[in-house]
Amino acid sequence: MSANDSQKGTKIAAAVLVAAQILAAGGAVAVNLLAAVVLSPAGRGDLAFALQLAYFLSVFAVMGLERPFIASRSGGFGTEYRVFARMVTPGTLCVLPIAFIAAALSPFSTRWMWMGVIAIAAYVALNSLVHALRVAYVCSREWKWFAVNAIVTQLIIVVGAVLLVLIGVNDPVVWMWAYAASAVPTAVLLFVAPRPSKHLEPTRTEKRGLRRRGWVLLPSEFSNSAMLRSDRLLLPILSSSAALGLYVTVATVLEMATWPVQQWVDASLRNWSQGFSSHSFPVVRIIARSVLLLVASAAVLAAAAYAMIVFVLPDSYAPAAAAIIPLAVSAVIFGVTRVQQGLLIAADSPGTVSVVEIIGTVASLIAYITLIPHYGMFGAAYGSIIGYAVCAAAGAFTLARVIRRKAKQSYADGPSADVADGGADLSDIAPSAAEPAGSDVELIDRYPDRTRK
């Protein structure tokens, strides 16, 4: 397959992923507006906290497998969906008891016991399948089932939110159940998605290699989620649920600025991995283009958030407008760190990704714990800027170091330098032979300095 065909396939995959997230963004904004009609800032804060807790715990359920799986497998949608779902089942079952305990000990009102806690656990389990569905699309490039699920999911949550507003339901527990119900189609697809007549299940050795690489990346995934969500988890604890309700009104909109870049990064991982074997790989150009896209996206969404607060939401949400600018700045910086992370993974240095993410997480937590008790949602917003900036600085230093090492390392040097720098030895991950007709990826080139040997 030619390089042009591969790049075209990557662009199409990224476009489909971005389209799905734009659809999700529209649904999120609609539900955000509808929830504000019947929920007070405190109730909106409770719902936001429950969602962030579910998303955070889902990271451990997936066990870091998402990107290693995408990077090394290709096959039919139904096959890859079921394979990945089976691989994340053990992690999901281990996390569910933790979800119950964490939800039970969280700063909710007593009405969250026990239906609210069960809803959070159900959403954690179903969210693992949401990850599996996305992975199956990227591995197969079969967009139809992925698109059907994206549309049906958003229809369920938006229609459910409209019904709750019409009925006048102001209980955040019921709204949490609406979110859980919106993920049910992903479970249905486990049974109805077609399985190709010819498919290749991963071998035990391949599974073992994928899990090993997933564990290497898990600290990075945890730190990434902690950086992105710890502000929302800490706000009701260190300040109030009302402060979180105001904060997420803006943060939910501004975080969408990073979505196009993140989808582009995931869809480009294979091509970038191959490109790092060339000394002319345009790292600076990639980052520069990403910054321009992030700034443009953040500016548009900041204006949209301001218009939403001024012209649509009740007056009780007006104080949230003051958090728009710092949250826009933090979104741009966070998007840059996602590009750096993708480049480091493509350079086969997952260990360094984890180190960088942990540094950023520690900086974020220190900033949040210091600023939130005194400044509330503004402390969370400016704490995000501080934490993400530290992560970006560490990422820039690490990426420059990896690029210099790659420039000095000849093609025949082998994996020793990568492993010493935190990379994982992937010699036991065999590229899948289940490549469908029309696939855009030649997996034999995924790790040219290792798996070919």
Side-chain angles (χ1 to χ4, degrees):
M1 180 177 295
S2 67
N4 288 337
D5 289 340
S6 181
Q7 290 177 0
K8 181 180 178 181
T10 297
K11 290 178 180 178
I12 293 173
V16 172
L17 291 172
V18 170
Q21 279 213 298
I22 290 174
L23 180 63
V29 171
V31 175
N32 200 27
L33 293 173
L34 291 167
V37 174
V38 294
L39 295 178
S40 66
R44 183 69 183 89
D46 277 353
L47 176 61
F49 185 87
L51 290 169
Q52 300 310 312
L53 184 60
Y55 295 142
F56 185 75
L57 292 173
S58 296
V59 172
F60 297 95
V62 177
M63 300 181 295
L65 284 169
E66 190 169 357
R67 286 175 296 176
F69 197 97
I70 288 172
S72 59
R73 279 195 60 85
S74 179
F77 179 88
T79 297
E80 301 307 309
Y81 183 31
R82 293 179 179 96
V83 167
F84 191 84
R86 286 197 297 269
M87 289 193 69
V88 299
T89 296
T92 302
L93 294 176
C94 290
V95 164
L96 286 181
I98 299 174
F100 273 99
I101 296 171
L105 297 178
S106 296
F108 291 121
S109 60
T110 55
R111 66 176 178 267
W112 279 83
M113 302 297 176
W114 285 94
M115 293 305 295
V117 174
I118 295 173
I120 292 172
Y123 196 51
V124 169
L126 290 169
N127 206 40
S128 297
L129 295 181
V130 173
H131 284 278
L133 201 72
R134 181 177 180 274
V135 167
Y137 164 67
V138 178
C139 290
S140 67
R141 305 296 169 91
E142 298 172 16
W143 61 270
K144 291 183 180 179
W145 290 104
F146 178 76
V148 167
N149 179 79
I151 294 170
V152 173
T153 296
Q154 295 310 311
L155 281 175
I156 290 175
I157 186 61
V158 173
V159 171
V162 170
L163 291 175
L164 292 176
V165 170
L166 292 176
I167 298 172
V169 176
N170 59 2
D171 187 350
V173 173
V174 180
W175 282 80
M176 186 65 205
W177 273 106
Y179 275 94
S182 70
V184 169
T186 60
V188 174
L189 280 180
L190 276 176
F191 303 97
V192 301
R195 188 193 301 269
S197 56
K198 293 184 178 179
H199 63 274
L200 182 66
E201 296 282 338
T203 64
R204 183 176 299 179
T205 300
E206 183 182 4
K207 288 182 179 179
R208 192 162 51 242
L210 286 168
R211 291 193 185 281
R212 183 183 302 125
R213 187 164 172 82
W215 281 110
V216 171
L217 284 172
L218 184 56
S220 166
E221 297 289 346
F222 163 74
S223 299
N224 174 19
S225 184
M227 271 201 304
L228 186 61
R229 306 192 185 281
S230 57
D231 52 350
R232 304 170 203 197
L233 294 172
L234 290 172
L235 255 175
I237 298 173
L238 301 178
S239 183
S240 66
S241 292
L244 177 59
L246 295 171
Y247 183 80
V248 296
T249 301
V250 176
T252 300
V253 177
L254 266 301
E255 73 178 21
M256 298 176 194
T258 66
W259 288 0
V261 165
Q262 290 185 76
Q263 302 298 354
W264 172 57
V265 168
D266 283 349
S268 301
L269 278 177
R270 291 188 182 116
N271 285 345
W272 288 359
S273 297
Q274 297 170 7
F276 260 103
S277 63
S278 169
H279 296 305
S280 60
F281 189 62
V283 172
V284 174
R285 189 189 311 164
I286 287 173
I287 294 177
R289 289 177 176 176
S290 302
V291 171
L292 291 176
L293 177 58
L294 286 163
V295 170
S297 300
V300 171
L301 290 170
Y306 182 79
M308 177 183 71
I309 293 170
V310 172
F311 300 111
V312 180
L313 295 181
D315 292 340
S316 58
Y317 286 86
I324 291 176
I325 293 178
L327 284 173
V329 173
S330 70
V332 172
I333 301 173
F334 182 78
V336 171
T337 66
R338 298 313 91 193
V339 179
Q340 293 173 338
Q341 184 187 77
L343 290 169
L344 287 169
I345 292 172
D348 201 16
S349 295
T352 58
V353 173
S354 295
V355 172
V356 169
E357 293 288 318
I358 290 171
I359 291 173
T361 299
V362 172
S364 298
L365 290 175
I366 293 174
Y368 293 146
I369 293 172
T370 303
L371 298 176
I372 289 177
H374 300 287
Y375 303 104
M377 67 173 181
F378 300 106
Y382 286 103
S384 297
I385 294 176
I386 294 171
Y388 299 165
V390 171
C391 184
F397 173 81
T398 304
L399 185 59
R401 182 169 170 264
V402 169
I403 291 172
R404 285 196 299 268
R405 190 196 70 227
K406 288 283 184 181
K408 294 178 182 178
Q409 183 179 0
S410 67
Y411 179 85
D413 278 344
S416 58
D418 287 338
V419 174
D421 193 41
D425 186 359
L426 302 184
S427 57
D428 57 351
I429 301 181
S432 171
E435 184 174 343
S439 174
D440 298 306
V441 183
E442 295 182 28
L443 293 181
I444 195 170
D445 292 331
R446 173 63 182 92
Y447 297 103
D449 61 332
R450 299 186 183 202
T451 52
R452 282 184 178 176
K453 293 185 178 179

